[in-house]
């Protein structure tokens, strides 16, 4: 299974960006896909998750992005998107997408629960 994240770049505070995560190999509909981010000197943190089809396809968010970010998946294109609106300088980080099967709901925020990772895409937000 390979993941390719793209869509990062530079933005001004208040702007929007959309990240994409193209997944190849495996059974896409059977994977939870999550977005994590890591800023310099900080630990990798959970941003959002969208459940596999068997898990209802629901989405979950970190409190600090709820209402601003939206995660979605296109099973036909085997791609997951992260629409980021109202960006803040504190959203600046390297964003990673990750996929995994069999993740229980209580563990979706834990990076090690995801078996497959993309290479990350840089998001820079200036004030």
């Amino acid at each position: 299974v390979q993941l390719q994240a793209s869509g990062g770049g530079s933005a001004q505070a208040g702007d929007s960006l959309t990240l994409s995560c193209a997944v190849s190999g495996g059974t896409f509909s059977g994977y939870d896909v999550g977005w994590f981010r890591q800023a310099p000197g900080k630990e990798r943190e959970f941003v959002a998750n969208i459940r596999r089809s068997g898990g209802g396809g629901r989405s979950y968010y970190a409190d600090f992005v709820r209402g601003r970010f939206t995660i979605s998946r296109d099973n036909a294109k085997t791609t997951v998107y992260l629409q980021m609106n109202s960006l803040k300088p504190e959203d600046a980080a390297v964003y990673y997408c990750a996929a995994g099967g069999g993740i229980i709901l209580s563990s979706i925020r834990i990076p090690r629960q995801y078996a497959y990772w993309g290479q990350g895409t840089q998001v820079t937000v200036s004030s």
Side-chain angles (χ1 to χ4, degrees), residues 41-90:
K42 295 187 177 182
E43 292 188 353
R44 192 167 298 189
E45 62 181 356
F46 169 79
V47 175
N49 164 286
I50 189 161
R51 298 285 275 163
R52 61 193 182 275
S53 298
R58 296 174 181 170
S59 54
Y60 298 87
Y61 300 92
D63 288 344
F64 51 78
V65 302
R66 189 174 291 112
R68 299 189 298 124
F69 290 12
T70 302
I71 189 171
S72 61
R73 65 191 295 157
D74 185 331
N75 285 340
K77 296 182 178 179
T78 65
T79 299
V80 171
Y81 305 95
L82 185 69
Q83 173 70 42
M84 306 187 295
N85 297 329
S86 302
L87 283 164
K88 303 177 180 180
E90 52 264 41

